[in-house]
Amino acid sequence: DAKTTQPPSMDCAEGRAANLPCNHSTISGNEYVYWYRQIHSQGPQYIIHGLKNNETNEMASLIITEDRKSSTLILPHATLRDTAVYYCIVRVAAGAGSYQLTFGKGTKLSVIP
Amino acid sequence: DARVTQTPRHKVTEMGQEVTMRCQPILGHNTVFWYRQTMMQGLELLAYFRNRAPLDDSGMPKDRFSAEMPDATLATLKIQPSEPRDSAVYFCASGHRQGIGNEQFFGPGTRLTVL
């Protein structure tokens, strides 16, 4: 799987958009970008994934650059409950290696009242 | 709301004792994962199963750890004998192979302390 780089921590004011960057400059053409988050003392939670098009669901939006070397997870209106560690993971979608999630250190997002 | 369940939620034991952690995957999911999380190492994949068969357990110390799926509704992770360095939170996750998403749904974890 391609290595990802994320800032170790970020702050965001409550109600504002939280933009979490991820660098994956060695990503391959068949690798997807996944985002998970882990709220304190809970198991990780899937947020969103994408290949090359921007994606949006009820939790967040994922913006992937045209060259696919970086992406940004956007929480449009951050709440205190969004305080968590956010993990950006790159992996193939099928075949050998498609099962595993390799978690890095992630970005600790603190939403401030 | 379907969830992965894990028991026990907390376990304190003494070095040398056997520890068994249990996981009930979401009904219909055919892939089960075991992860371990520590402050030093973060989240590490220990093993995973598909259709109850072990696919990869290369992340697991073989001499003391074992993982099984006696049936589709139960996965177990056993440590014998336990050591203080095994103290961690152990997460089980389940998923199914249909579709590109391959989301994994995590349980609440078992916090293990080995004295």
Side-chain angles (χ1 to χ4, degrees):
Chain A
D1 290 346
K3 179 179 171 59
T4 61
T5 304
Q6 299 178 253
S9 63
M10 291 181 65
D11 291 341
C12 177
E14 188 178 17
R16 304 296 295 270
N19 297 280
L20 294 97
C22 179
N23 183 286
H24 32 78
S25 58
T26 60
I27 192 170
S28 305
N30 64 344
E31 289 181 314
Y32 283 67
V33 180
Y34 289 79
W35 283 83
Y36 279 73
R37 74 178 182 183
Q38 187 173 24
I39 296 170
H40 182 62
S41 297
Q42 297 183 21
Q45 175 190 24
Y46 166 83
I47 301 174
I48 199 168
H49 75 280
L51 181 63
K52 54 184 177 181
N53 297 323
N54 297 338
E55 302 288 344
T56 296
N57 63 20
E58 65 277 5
M59 290 182 68
S61 294
L62 174 60
I63 308 299
I64 302 174
T65 58
E66 192 168 342
D67 63 7
R68 302 210 321 125
K69 293 185 177 182
S70 65
S71 60
T72 301
L73 178 75
I74 300 173
L75 307 179
H77 305 286
T79 70
L80 298 179
R81 289 182 297 178
D82 292 322
T83 292
V85 178
Y86 287 77
Y87 298 98
C88 171
I89 300 165
V90 170
R91 72 171 188 188
V92 294
S98 66
Y99 293 94
Q100 300 100 309
L101 289 174
T102 302
F103 289 85
K105 296 189 182 302
T107 295
K108 180 171 174 51
L109 175 69
S110 299
V111 180
I112 302 168
Chain B
D1 187 22
R3 297 185 182 190
V4 175
T5 58
Q6 291 186 246
T7 56
R9 293 294 310 278
H10 302 271
K11 176 73 175 178
V12 179
T13 190
E14 293 187 346
M15 183 174 63
Q17 297 297 306
E18 177 178 300
V19 174
T20 298
M21 291 169 272
R22 294 176 175 80
C23 167
Q24 182 172 9
I26 293 173
L27 189 64
H29 283 186
N30 65 351
T31 311
V32 175
F33 307 81
W34 284 104
Y35 291 85
R36 174 173 64 183
Q37 186 171 35
T38 61
M39 287 293 292
M40 294 297 296
Q41 300 297 328
L43 269 161
E44 305 173 282
L45 178 66
L46 296 176
Y48 63 93
F49 294 75
R50 182 183 174 192
N51 295 326
R52 297 177 55 200
L55 280 193
D56 189 340
D57 60 3
S58 59
M60 205 165 64
K62 301 291 191 304
D63 56 339
R64 299 182 299 108
F65 284 59
S66 61
E68 296 179 344
M69 280 201 73
D71 61 60
T73 65
L74 177 65
T76 62
L77 180 66
K78 188 174 297 186
I79 307 174
Q80 168 64 17
S82 58
E83 298 180 1
R85 59 179 167 153
D86 300 328
S87 297
V89 181
Y90 290 82
F91 289 103
C92 173
S94 72
H96 56 83
R97 286 295 295 158
Q98 292 180 357
I100 285 293
N102 293 342
E103 304 165 34
Q104 294 184 18
F105 296 83
F106 284 76
T110 294
R111 182 175 296 276
L112 173 66
T113 302
V114 183
L115 303 174

